[in-house]
């Protein structure tokens, strides 16, 4: 890359990362959540990218970090005087402790067994959550307040963003550096061929426990950062959704590229924030996107962009068009279905003698009986499919 | 005594239900190396389809059609999706089924709403089977048990006496060997996946009428079924049966026990101290019922990593 | 004290007994060949010695210490290194990184996460020297998975030797190589195993006879003869059971 391109890129990144310092609470909060998700997904991916271990229970270590930090902030309220900037470290610490314990058991096995065990550990903690009132605060959870520290009030979230940015930078640097250390190299080799590594005299179980602990510590750090920002937490953080998030984000972003998971996490958190206000079906779209990426872009978005072969501009445009057509009609059909199957629509129908009354979608008045309403999206989807099919045929002949 | 008897029957039936779902999972896992995350979603679909179809055709026809529909879905998943990502390895297959589980969960919520539907037992089975000491055993529980047992028997016979069984068994011990048999392996995979899906669908259609049929039933059962597979051992039907029954019995037998760790320390004179600490010491065993399967799994893993019936490496 | 000693070792897989009572002694500093027809159990014997499998019965000792209950890691740390008949490498690592794994193990660098692997001068120098030895220096930055077969074999050998082991087990080190490559490899093995104990499985009789001090013949899970090369060449049972007319 040319030098001035690099400088421009660095400057742009710097501006994007520092901009939230000027944001209002709503957007500073979004920026914090994006950074936290990015760090969490990258921490999760330490296990997969290096050692090919796929954890389905990382919400536990994230949650451990959140709880540790919120409890520490409560202790601060009670008079303990830990500067706020050091508070997230409690998250990393508790993440690593729980990580060593759980990691020791989980890494006794590899492959699908490892995934099942991590999932089961998460379920175990999740099922204990509501029972242990003192620690997890039951249904209501645990709350605290940020106290002013080091001359800053930390009342507004853009000040908190500074802490989040700083610690995330430390976290990302750790992940980047770790890959270059001897242990990082060994972990990499372990993902390829554990047996052979054993015959070189390496204790692979210990390697896996170390790696798991590091991954859990950084997940805990991410959770801790969110804890500082959110000031409260309840046991649902251990639920399946928090463990699924880094998996989805990582593989959509690109698991074998260093910053693929971070990209995927920031992207999906951003989109999720925007779209979950607009539609109830955001999780459905996210699931569909995930399955499509797994099937057609196994290297993820960033991975495909970096490694993918260059296409002529015309093909790239045609491809984008095909994707747009298909997703537009899919979204239209899903949203329509969501309205037509809702309780409110059926009670509306009942009040109109069971006739298929029209419904509103995207500022349009649509009649469920009209062939155009269903025909148009179907034609659009078919066109998209035909275009991509033709493109594929051309690729194969080329 | 009465309590023990009810618990035994309930536990046995719950265990058999677990077995119905885990049998398909372990069959697919053992043969294809694919951990099907969507398996319990197929179980849930079986229940919902049983409910929907049943509204048109009545319970018994639905009991036949729902598993067939789920089998068809399973076959298409194998043929059009799993086969595509097969060359990228088992992890990619696992991720795919994980994504499918998410999608099915959302679609079920979209179509049927967030609350359980009223999938009920047919009137001819809504009776008491017999009465012991003033205690009623519902006929439907026996029906669930009977379905599970006949499933185990037919699977067992199929594995033992037919060609499919021969190949599946060979695949359990020598997957590469069977792969090298050539062209028919693809079809066998399709068949195994479809059969596994049908078993899950049947389990759902039968159990959904008795237990609540809601969008969380897949998640609730899914992780317990994983526990069964881990505890039972890779690809072992017998292991799955033993583990299912053990977990089913243990979870129901502990429902009524209010033992605590603090109570257990009483003989040492420490119960007061332990109760004052609270937390894990004062959790009753009955409230741990949901956690018990996972605790059992961790224990088995530490003692016997290959599972109860798994081959030792 | 002998470097490797097996007494009455058997190994069963299910109902078939693959190793059927093997007694074998390899002296310290000796180059010992293990020959025998395909499927005789040679690789299985390697797997038993290196800790991949546990013997069904019998005892194995390495340098006088009982080893048949130990894990592969422990045995490797006692100075025993092995290569694999079917190349077993790390697909995502470069040639350089692969050899470095072996060298790091030899230098005792394992759970180090506070400095980069590249900053260790002594390790890097050893890696470069070893790559030079096996003629892979110009391939240092190629991924192991992308090497042609014969170079993978050379890399397999390099990782094994990087451990600077006292006892070296090589399973068909020259299989699949051209005549010149094989000759180079043999010369390399001869040089790098000087003063160490070598147990090698090899099908090429020229290599066996020129490289080794003693030979053991394994047929159908049993050792039918052990001795110096000329004794083995003369042994009637060996000729009958295995060598046939292939021997000059
Ligand atoms: N893990 C195993 N399970 C079952 N059988 C095995 C196993 N490993 C080896 N065998 C069997 O043991 C026998 C001996 O195999 P082995 O690889 O030791 O032979 P070999 O002497 O190395 O042959 P070659 O010269 O072909 O390398 C073979 O029949 C093989 O099928
Ligand atoms: Mg061999």
């Amino acid at each position: 890359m040319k030098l001035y391109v690099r400088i421009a890129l660095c400057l742009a990144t710097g501006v994007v990362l520092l901009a939230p310092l000027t944001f209002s609470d709503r957007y500073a909060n979004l920026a914090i959540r994006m950074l936290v998700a990015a760090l969490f997904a990258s921490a999760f991916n330490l296990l997969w990218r290096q050692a090919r271990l796929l954890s389905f229970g990382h919400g536990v270590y994230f949650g451990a970090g959140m709880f540790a930090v919120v409890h520490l902030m409560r202790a601060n309220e009670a008079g303990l005087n830990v500067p706020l900037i050091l508070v997230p470290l409690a998250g990393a610490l508790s993440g690593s402790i729980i990580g060593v314990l759980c990691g020791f058991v989980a890494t006794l096995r590899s492959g699908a067994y490892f995934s099942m065990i991590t999932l089961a550990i998460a379920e175990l903690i999740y099922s204990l959550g509501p029972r242990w009132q003192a620690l997890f605060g039951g249904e209501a959870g645990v709350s605290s307040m940020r106290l002013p520290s080091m001359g800053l009030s930390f009342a507004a979230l853009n000040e908190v963003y500074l802490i989040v940015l700083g610690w995330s930078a430390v976290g990302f640097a750790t992940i980047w550096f770790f890959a270059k250390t001897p242990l990082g190299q060994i972990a990499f080799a372990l993902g390829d061929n554990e047996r052979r590594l054993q015959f070189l005299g390496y204790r692979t179980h210990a390697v896996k426990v170390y790696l798991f602990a590091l991954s859990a510590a950084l997940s805990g750090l991410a959770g801790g950062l969110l804890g500082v920002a959110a000031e409260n937490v309840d046991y649902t953080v251990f639920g399946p959704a928090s463990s699924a998030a880094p998996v989805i984000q990582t593989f959509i972003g690109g698991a074998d590229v260093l910053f693929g998971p971070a990209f995927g996490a920031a992207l999906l958190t951003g989109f999720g924030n925007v779209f979950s206000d607009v539609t109830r079906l955001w999780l459905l779209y996210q699931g569909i996107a995930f399955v499509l990426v797994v099937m057609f872009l196994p290297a993820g978005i960033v991975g495909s962009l970096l490694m993918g072969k260059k296409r002529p501009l015309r093909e790239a445009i045609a491809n984008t068009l095909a994707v747009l057509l298909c997703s537009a009609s899919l979204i239209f059909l899903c949203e329509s279905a969501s309205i037509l199957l809702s309780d409110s629509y059926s009670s509306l129908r009942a009040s109109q003698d069971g006739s298929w009354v029209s419904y509103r979608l995207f500022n349009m008045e649509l009649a469920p009986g009209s062939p155009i309403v269903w025909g148009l999206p179907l034609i659009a989807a078919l066109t998209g499919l035909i275009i991509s099919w033709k493109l594929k045929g051309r690729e194969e002949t080329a | 005594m009465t309590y023990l008897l009810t618990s035994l029957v309930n536990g046995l039936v719950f265990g058999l239900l677990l077995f119905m779902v885990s049998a398909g999972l372990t069959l697919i896992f053992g043969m294809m190396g694919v951990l099907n995350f969507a398996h319990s979603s197929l179980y849930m679909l079986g229940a919902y389809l049983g409910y929907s179809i049943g509204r048109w055709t009545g319970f018994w026809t639905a009991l036949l059609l729902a598993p067939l529909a789920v089998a068809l879905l399973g076959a298409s998943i194998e043929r059009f999706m799993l086969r595509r990502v097969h060359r990228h390895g088992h992890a990619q297959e696992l991720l795919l089924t994980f994504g499918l589980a998410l999608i099915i969960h959302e679609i079920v919520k979209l179509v049927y709403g967030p609350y359980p539907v009223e999938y009920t037992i047919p009137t001819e089975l809504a009776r008491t089977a017999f009465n012991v000491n003033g205690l009623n055993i519902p006929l439907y529980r026996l029906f669930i048990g009977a379905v599970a047992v006949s499933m185990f028997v037919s699977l067992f016979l199929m594995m033992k006496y037919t060609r499919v069984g021969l190949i599946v068994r060979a695949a359990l011990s020598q997957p590469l060997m069977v792969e090298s048999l050539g062209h028919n392996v693809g079809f066998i995979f399709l068949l195994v996946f479809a059969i596994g899906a049908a078993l899950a669908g049947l389990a759902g259609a039968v159990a959904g009428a008795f237990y609540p049929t809601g969008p969380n039933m897949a998640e609730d059962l899914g992780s317990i079924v994983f526990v069964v597979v881990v505890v039972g051992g890779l690809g072992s039907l017998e292991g799955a049966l033993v583990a299912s029954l053990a977990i089913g019995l243990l979870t129901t037998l502990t429902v009524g026990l209010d033992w605590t760790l603090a109570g257990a320390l009483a003989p040492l004179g420490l119960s007061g101290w332990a109760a004052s600490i609270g937390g894990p010491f004062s959790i009753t065993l009955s409230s741990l019922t949901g956690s018990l399967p996972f605790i059992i799994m961790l224990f088995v893993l530490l003692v016997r990593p290959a599972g109860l019936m798994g081959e030792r490496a | 004290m002998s470097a490797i000693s097996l007494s009455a070792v058997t190994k069963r897989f299910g109902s078939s007994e693959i190793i059927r009572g093997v007694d074998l002694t390899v002296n310290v500093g000796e180059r010992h060949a293990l020959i025998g027809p395909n499927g005789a159990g040679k690789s299985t014997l390697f797997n038993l010695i290196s800790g991949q499998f546990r013997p069904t019965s019998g005892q194995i000792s390495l340098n006088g210490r009982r080893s048949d209950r130990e894990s592969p890691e422990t045995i490797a740390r006692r100075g025993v290194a092995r290569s694999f008949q079917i190349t077993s490498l790390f697909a995502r690592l470069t040639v350089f990184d692969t050899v470095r794994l072996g060298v790091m193990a030899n230098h005792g660098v394992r759970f180090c996460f506070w400095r980069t692997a590249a900053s260790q001068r002594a390790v890097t120098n050893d890696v470069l020297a070893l790559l030079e030895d096996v003629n892979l220096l110009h391939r240092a930055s190629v991924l192991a998975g992308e090497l042609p077969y014969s170079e993978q074999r050379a890399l397999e050998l390099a990782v094994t030797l990087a451990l600077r082991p006292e006892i070296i087990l090589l399973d068909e080190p020259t299989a699949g190589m051209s005549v010149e490559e094989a000759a180079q490899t043999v010369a390399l093995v001869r040089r790098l195993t000087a003063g160490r104990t070598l147990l090698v499985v090899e099908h090429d009789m020229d290599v066996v006879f020129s490289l080794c001090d003693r030979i053991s013949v394994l047929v159908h899970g049993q050792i039918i003869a052990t001795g110096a090369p000329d004794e083995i060449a003369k042994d009637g049972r060996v000729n009958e059971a295995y060598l046939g007319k292939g021997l000059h």
Side-chain angles (χ1 to χ4, degrees):
Chain A
M1 236 189 284
K2 295 242 171 54
L3 185 64
Y4 64 86
V5 180
R6 282 188 186 208
I7 293 178
L9 265 180
C10 286
L11 278 177
T13 317
V15 168
V16 168
L17 286 178
L18 291 176
L21 290 175
T22 65
F23 286 0
S24 67
D25 263 7
R26 171 160 172 16
Y27 290 104
N29 184 28
L30 178 59
I32 288 174
R33 278 171 195 274
M34 285 165 78
L35 259 185
V36 163
L39 180 60
F40 183 28
S42 304
F44 153 84
N45 196 38
L46 262 179
L47 282 169
W48 168 253
R49 188 163 104 98
Q50 327 259 342
R52 289 295 185 245
L53 294 170
L54 200 50
S55 163
F56 280 92
H58 253 47
V60 170
Y61 318 106
F62 186 84
M66 263 186 111
F67 271 105
V69 159
V70 174
H71 277 295
L72 181 59
M73 292 197 319
R74 282 173 73 92
N76 265 350
E77 283 176 65
L80 191 73
N81 239 325
V82 182
L84 191 64
I85 189 157
L86 293 183
V87 165
L89 273 183
L93 189 69
S94 83
S96 63
I97 293 171
I98 312 278
V100 168
L101 293 177
C102 300
F104 183 87
V105 180
T107 55
L108 285 173
R109 310 294 303 272
S110 312
Y113 272 104
F114 173 83
S115 302
M116 285 190 274
I117 297 164
T118 48
L119 181 88
I121 291 175
E123 288 287 334
L124 174 59
I125 308 277
Y126 184 47
S127 65
L128 286 179
R131 314 252 171 263
W132 196 338
Q133 187 71 29
L135 194 60
F136 298 128
E139 300 286 335
V142 188
S143 304
S144 66
M145 290 263 290
R146 286 188 299 271
L147 296 182
S149 162
M150 298 188 311
L152 285 172
S153 72
F154 290 110
L157 282 174
N158 55 1
E159 291 177 16
V160 178
Y161 177 79
L162 203 59
I163 294 183
V164 176
L165 183 65
W167 278 114
S168 304
V170 173
F172 287 125
T174 308
I175 291 169
W176 170 78
F177 182 76
F178 177 76
K180 298 183 178 298
T181 64
L183 187 58
Q185 289 277 309
I186 294 164
F188 234 107
L190 193 148
D192 277 347
N193 194 342
E194 180 171 355
R195 268 271 119 164
R196 183 70 214 242
L197 209 54
Q198 290 172 341
F199 283 107
L200 295 179
Y202 292 107
R203 299 204 190 283
T204 52
H205 184 224
V207 174
K208 287 190 276 187
V209 176
Y210 272 88
L211 187 67
F212 198 104
L214 179 64
S215 168
L218 291 172
S219 306
L221 179 64
L225 293 173
L226 189 60
V228 170
E231 299 179 301
N232 87 312
V233 54
D234 62 67
Y235 77 93
T236 53
V237 70
F238 297 122
S242 3
S243 294
V247 180
I248 298 169
Q249 294 161 349
T250 294
F251 286 91
I252 286 187
D256 277 333
V257 213
L258 190 56
F259 288 107
F263 173 81
L267 185 80
L268 288 175
T269 311
F271 269 138
N273 189 277
V274 175
F275 283 116
S276 43
D277 290 347
V278 186
T279 169
R280 312 191 281 130
L281 301 180
W282 163 244
L283 288 177
L284 176 63
Y285 299 138
Q286 182 179 270
I288 293 175
F290 176 72
V291 165
L292 289 178
V293 167
V294 167
M295 283 180 68
F296 299 102
L297 286 182
I301 294 178
V302 182
S304 307
L305 284 180
L306 288 181
M307 287 176 270
K309 43 189 180 307
K310 294 265 179 296
R311 300 183 149 183
L313 186 64
R314 270 183 47 195
E315 283 187 21
I317 292 178
N319 199 36
T320 318
L321 185 71
V323 172
L324 281 180
L325 280 175
C326 288
S327 29
S329 43
L330 183 76
I331 289 175
F332 178 83
L333 292 177
C334 289
E335 292 297 332
S336 298
S338 138
I339 293 175
L340 295 180
L341 291 167
S342 68
D343 286 344
S344 53
Y345 185 79
S346 43
S347 48
L348 192 66
R349 266 187 70 195
S351 69
Q352 309 269 332
D353 312 319
S355 71
W356 291 93
V357 287
S358 63
Y359 64 101
R360 280 192 76 76
L361 179 63
F362 304 129
N363 271 329
M364 291 181 291
E365 196 75 26
L366 299 166
S370 140
I372 303 177
V373 168
W374 305 112
L376 219 54
L378 280 181
I379 290 170
L382 272 179
T383 321
L385 286 179
I386 290 172
I387 293 176
S388 67
W389 184 59
K390 285 246 150 130
L391 278 178
K392 210 173 156 224
R394 202 190 277 195
E395 222 165 72
E396 268 154 22
T397 52
Chain B
M1 186 57 219
T2 319
Y3 162 73
L4 196 66
L5 201 70
T6 347
S7 299
L8 269 179
V9 173
N10 292 357
L12 216 56
V13 170
F14 182 58
L16 286 170
L17 169 67
L18 277 180
F19 169 73
M20 283 201 275
V21 183
S22 52
L25 185 72
T26 203
L27 204 67
I28 294 170
F29 187 27
M31 170 141 188
M32 306 171 55
V34 179
L35 176 61
N36 182 12
F37 253 81
H39 197 72
S40 53
S41 309
L42 296 176
Y43 159 80
M44 172 166 76
L45 277 184
Y48 273 106
L49 288 176
Y51 161 72
S52 285
I53 298 174
R55 294 216 305 199
W56 300 101
T57 65
F59 178 80
W60 296 102
T61 321
L63 205 56
L64 191 72
L65 290 182
L68 275 181
V70 177
L72 209 63
L73 179 70
S76 357
I77 289 175
E78 203 283 333
R79 176 66 188 79
F80 299 112
M81 307 183 92
L82 275 178
R83 209 169 281 186
R84 262 196 91 92
V85 304
H86 183 70
R87 68 199 152 96
H88 297 298
H90 288 326
Q92 203 78 7
E93 294 172 320
L94 191 159
L95 286 169
L96 178 69
T97 58
F98 173 68
L100 285 174
L102 296 176
I103 293 181
I104 293 176
H105 180 78
E106 292 304 319
I107 288 183
V108 161
K109 274 204 302 196
L110 169 68
V111 175
Y112 293 96
Y115 306 109
V117 294
E118 271 177 58
Y119 184 20
T120 47
I121 306 173
T123 41
E124 57 269 38
L125 289 180
R127 291 189 289 115
T128 306
F130 48 82
N131 182 303
V132 196
N133 288 353
L135 175 84
N136 296 328
I137 307 274
L139 185 60
Y140 201 78
R141 275 196 201 273
L142 298 189
F143 176 66
I144 296 179
V147 172
V149 169
S150 51
M151 198 161 101
F152 180 72
V153 171
S154 39
L155 268 182
F156 188 76
L157 292 180
M158 183 187 86
M159 294 284 266
K160 208 165 162 106
Y161 294 111
T162 69
R163 222 176 91 78
V164 178
L166 196 76
I167 296 169
V168 173
R169 261 183 304 139
L172 287 177
S173 55
Q174 297 264 324
L176 288 179
M177 193 78 126
V178 171
E179 230 160 273
S180 68
L181 282 177
H183 63 278
N184 62 351
V185 171
F187 182 68
I188 300 265
F189 275 11
L190 186 86
L191 204 65
V192 168
F193 210 88
I195 291 178
L199 295 184
L202 177 64
V206 171
F210 191 75
Y211 301 103
T213 294
N216 288 329
M217 64 191 285
E219 230 163 55
D220 292 346
L221 201 76
S223 41
I224 302 185
V225 168
F226 283 161
V227 169
V228 167
V229 178
V230 172
V231 170
L234 170 95
S236 158
L237 265 187
E238 295 89 339
L241 183 67
V242 173
S244 305
L245 291 180
I247 287 172
L249 283 173
L250 268 172
T251 46
T252 34
L253 283 178
T254 49
V255 165
L257 299 179
D258 48 7
W259 297 345
T260 62
L261 215 51
L265 291 175
L268 300 174
L270 292 172
S271 67
W273 166 79
S276 70
I277 295 210
F281 288 105
S282 54
I283 295 177
T284 58
L285 194 55
S286 56
S287 66
L288 275 185
T289 297
S291 322
L292 211 56
F294 309 112
I295 297 172
I296 295 173
M297 184 191 80
L298 294 182
F299 182 74
V300 167
L301 266 175
L302 287 172
V303 180
R304 230 190 117 88
L308 294 179
M309 304 267 174
E311 291 263 324
R312 281 206 164 186
Chain C
M1 186 187 66
S2 48
I4 306 172
S5 118
L6 281 71
S7 70
V9 169
T10 65
K11 178 66 187 172
R12 290 177 161 280
F13 292 111
S15 61
S16 53
E17 192 167 40
I18 303 298
I19 300 295
R20 306 184 302 149
V22 164
D23 294 292
L24 175 69
T25 306
V26 180
N27 300 319
V28 174
E30 177 186 40
R31 294 199 182 101
H32 198 115
L34 186 64
I35 64 173
N38 290 90
K42 304 180 294 291
S43 300
T44 306
L45 210 55
F46 267 38
N47 287 335
L48 289 168
I49 298 171
S50 62
Q52 174 150 2
F53 299 150
R54 288 188 175 175
T56 310
S57 68
Q59 275 199 22
I60 303 176
S61 303
L62 298 169
N63 285 333
R65 279 174 75 185
R66 180 95 187 255
S67 71
D68 48 72
R69 298 277 155 221
E70 305 292 355
S71 64
E73 297 100 297
T74 311
I75 291 176
R77 286 176 183 211
R78 289 202 191 151
V80 182
R82 66 168 296 186
S83 73
F84 288 77
Q85 179 178 3
I86 300 165
T87 311
S88 171
L89 293 166
F90 309 98
R92 291 182 297 164
L93 260 55
T94 63
V95 169
F96 183 90
D97 292 342
T98 309
V99 175
R100 188 166 61 187
L101 278 178
V103 175
M104 286 195 307
N106 179 42
H107 284 237
V109 181
R110 290 192 178 100
F111 297 116
C112 168
F113 51 82
W114 50 89
R115 54 189 296 189
T116 62
S119 68
Q120 297 164 312
R121 271 291 158 70
V123 170
T124 307
N125 291 340
D126 275 10
V127 175
L128 293 176
L130 202 59
L131 285 177
E132 177 102 63
D133 273 341
V134 293
N135 263 332
L136 282 177
L137 198 50
H138 62 295
R139 304 290 247 169
S141 54
V142 180
L143 289 183
E146 288 167 4
L147 288 178
Y149 180 76
S150 67
E151 289 185 340
Q152 287 195 354
R153 294 304 298 167
L155 182 56
E156 173 85 41
L157 189 65
V159 195
T160 308
L161 294 177
L163 295 173
R164 300 248 176 275
E166 287 169 42
I167 300 173
I168 304 164
L169 310 173
L170 299 180
D171 200 345
E172 307 202 11
T174 65
M177 290 188 174
S178 70
V179 178
E180 303 101 74
E181 286 166 341
Q184 266 182 8
T185 304
V186 171
L188 177 76
V189 169
R190 192 195 307 276
R191 190 153 54 80
L192 291 183
T193 58
R196 302 164 200 269
T197 310
L198 172 71
L199 180 62
V200 59
V201 172
E202 183 56 68
H203 279 304
D204 185 332
M205 287 308 138
D206 292 336
V207 171
V208 171
F209 283 120
S210 67
L211 184 67
C212 297
D213 309 319
R214 285 204 301 155
I215 298 174
S216 290
V217 185
L218 185 73
V219 178
H220 202 41
Q222 283 175 323
I223 298 225
I224 60 165
T226 296
D230 45 339
E231 289 168 34
I232 294 294
K234 283 186 300 222
D235 193 306
R237 283 172 308 164
V238 177
N239 280 315
E240 189 186 322
Y242 168 52
L243 296 173
K245 299 216 162 51
L247 194 71
H248 11 213

